[in-house]
Amino acid sequence: MEKAIIKSVDGPVVIGRNMADYKIREMVLVGEKKLIGEVISIDGDLGTVQVYEETEGLKREEEIISTGAPLSVKLGPGMIRGIFDGIERPLEVIKKEHGSFMPEGIGLISLDEEKLWDVTFKVSLHDKVHQGQIFAEVPETDIITHKVMIPPGINGEVVEILENGKYNIETVLLKVKDELGKINEVKMYQNWPVRIPRPVKERLPIDKLLVTGQRVFDVFFPIAKGGTTAIPGGFGTGKTMTQHQIAKYCDADIIIYIGCGERGNEMTEVLEDFPKLIDPNTGKALMDRTILIANTSNMPVAAREASIYTGVTMAEYFRDMGYHVALMGDSTSRWAEALREISGRLEEMPAEEG
């Protein structure tokens, strides 16, 4: 099979040749710098890739390498207090190692693989376990206990398990033997494709109030736990400030704040304010229950499109543990703008979502 090569580059959109065997939504590494991209269409021999990094310097005839997997995020201890970009790369770690500007081709780094976490097991040898069952607990922050779950699709008997102790996320914590005799290794984290919803058993009725801490909303515009709401308004009318207030004072267990195409100065305010704030519900630091995804308007437009999916996948993961999660997407209009921009570069009609 001939290797896939770049035919043309148009901003974040790369057209490749010899891509008939690639799959839609597959993650690929583009060019000599191995930029992260995703296959979004295949037409005969030609494939279209949207690249999540700056494409300056890419040349024709450079190789496009398949990873064989869709764009996925790591879900495990280390997410809370984290500040990530749109594809879950940790911005603070990147700043320490590479300075204030993100270099191209650093790969899909995410959670810290070296840090040791204190693991307490909730199951024993020869116990029967099923998908979604909590088998261990890890104190992630002073407020949030990370409940480590059996990944979807794994059911069976525990045939090997470690003692309580300190382990990193790459350690195999237990092995589960299914009905067919296959041994599945279970670690502290799960890999999950961002565009596939996590499985659910049932949809619970929406009957509890999300107390936002803003009396005018709680009285006149109540928001339900499990519901959604939009904050429409013109430029400079306070949409972002309203979201900041809800993120600071609402009674959700975990806050996931996605700055999707936000202005850099607005996101800076969040990044500077939140670490200093005390959570009125617990008396602890607000960041002890917060995840920030910063994909500002000067970052690659394709990663902006992915950032909402990344945040939703994280929220679903904590929902599966039984936590109430408040997800803020700021703003959906700039997300739609990203969809339109990619559609324009593909020379097609803008997506109906945009």
Side-chain angles (χ1 to χ4, degrees):
M1 191 179 87
E2 284 188 82
K3 63 183 183 183
I5 54 172
I6 296 172
K7 176 176 179 276
S8 65
V9 180
D10 180 8
V13 174
V14 170
I15 308 290
R17 284 204 300 265
N18 306 328
M19 292 186 65
D21 292 332
Y22 283 56
K23 296 189 186 79
I24 296 286
R25 298 292 179 211
E26 185 176 346
M27 198 167 83
V28 292
L29 303 174
V30 179
E32 286 176 10
K33 291 181 179 173
K34 293 190 165 42
L35 305 180
I36 294 164
E38 186 180 22
V39 180
I40 54 172
S41 81
I42 295 171
D43 183 8
D45 192 38
L46 299 178
T48 306
V49 177
Q50 66 178 2
V51 180
Y52 293 117
E53 303 183 65
E54 198 57 60
T55 54
E56 191 177 338
L58 273 187
K59 298 196 228 19
R60 291 187 60 188
E61 309 297 316
E62 286 186 22
E63 194 175 355
I64 299 172
I65 302 164
S66 164
T67 63
L71 178 70
S72 303
V73 290
K74 265 186 184 168
L75 302 169
M79 286 159 55
I80 305 248
R81 289 199 190 114
I83 301 169
F84 301 100
D85 77 348
I87 50 176
E88 206 203 14
R89 294 184 298 186
L91 297 178
E92 288 178 306
V93 173
I94 291 168
K95 186 182 177 187
K96 274 180 199 162
E97 293 180 8
H98 302 283
S100 296
F101 292 92
M102 191 183 291
E104 297 98 17
I106 57 172
L108 197 62
I109 55 173
S110 55
L111 302 180
D112 188 341
E113 295 177 2
E114 308 287 316
K115 184 171 178 180
L116 298 176
W117 298 93
D118 209 352
V119 180
T120 306
F121 288 94
K122 298 290 175 190
V123 297
S124 309
L125 198 61
H126 305 306
D127 280 3
K128 291 273 191 284
V129 293
H130 55 81
Q131 61 177 2
Q133 181 177 340
I134 294 162
F135 72 86
E137 290 188 347
V138 174
E140 190 168 353
T141 68
D142 291 343
I143 301 172
I144 301 298
T145 298
H146 197 103
K147 298 170 184 176
V148 191
M149 298 173 287
I150 302 287
I154 294 179
N155 301 290
E157 181 188 347
V158 177
V159 291
E160 206 175 298
I161 188 168
L162 299 179
E163 298 285 318
N164 292 346
K166 290 185 178 293
Y167 305 103
N168 66 25
I169 63 168
E170 286 294 343
T171 308
V172 176
L173 299 180
L174 52 83
K175 293 181 180 176
V176 178
K177 186 178 181 180
D178 64 18
E179 291 173 355
L180 304 173
K182 184 188 169 193
I183 304 288
N184 295 287
E185 294 184 341
V186 180
K187 297 182 179 178
M188 214 180 298
Y189 71 88
Q190 300 178 17
N191 265 326
W192 194 264
V194 295
R195 295 177 196 279
I196 296 175
R198 287 179 63 83
V200 293
K201 203 181 261 185
E202 60 173 325
R203 184 177 173 86
L204 298 173
I206 294 176
D207 56 4
K208 291 187 178 67
L209 177 73
L210 176 75
V211 180
T212 64
Q214 310 303 303
R215 291 176 193 165
V216 68
F217 294 145
D218 293 340
V219 174
F220 295 108
F221 307 102
I223 302 169
K225 285 184 177 174
T228 55
T229 189
I231 305 176
F235 299 120
T237 52
K239 303 183 294 296
T240 297
M241 294 313 298
T242 302
Q243 290 199 25
H244 289 188
Q245 291 298 99
I246 295 173
K248 289 172 190 173
Y249 301 115
C250 77
D251 70 342
D253 300 320
I254 291 170
I255 306 294
I256 298 178
Y257 190 97
I258 308 165
C260 168
E262 270 305 286
R263 298 179 189 90
N265 61 327
E266 290 179 352
M267 205 64 219
T268 304
E269 192 176 325
V270 175
L271 300 181
E272 286 181 347
D273 274 8
F274 274 45
K276 297 176 194 163
L277 290 171
I278 298 300
D279 178 6
N281 298 312
T282 60
K284 307 281 186 185
L286 188 69
M287 278 304 284
D288 282 358
R289 63 179 182 114
T290 304
I291 299 171
L292 298 176
I293 296 176
N295 214 96
T296 51
S297 48
N298 63 331
M299 292 167 102
V301 70
R304 184 190 311 177
E305 189 261 343
S307 63
I308 296 282
Y309 293 107
T310 299
V312 170
T313 303
M314 289 176 169
E316 288 174 341
Y317 176 67
F318 284 107
R319 171 208 68 194
D320 294 349
M321 294 181 201
Y323 286 118
H324 294 287
V325 186
L327 177 79
M328 322 270 165
D330 188 11
S331 68
T332 44
S333 61
R334 294 205 181 94
W335 182 51
E337 186 180 56
L339 292 170
R340 290 196 296 273
E341 185 168 326
I342 290 167
S343 293
R345 290 183 190 276
L346 292 170
E347 299 176 11
E348 64 183 25
M349 288 293 285
E352 59 184 31
E353 296 94 334

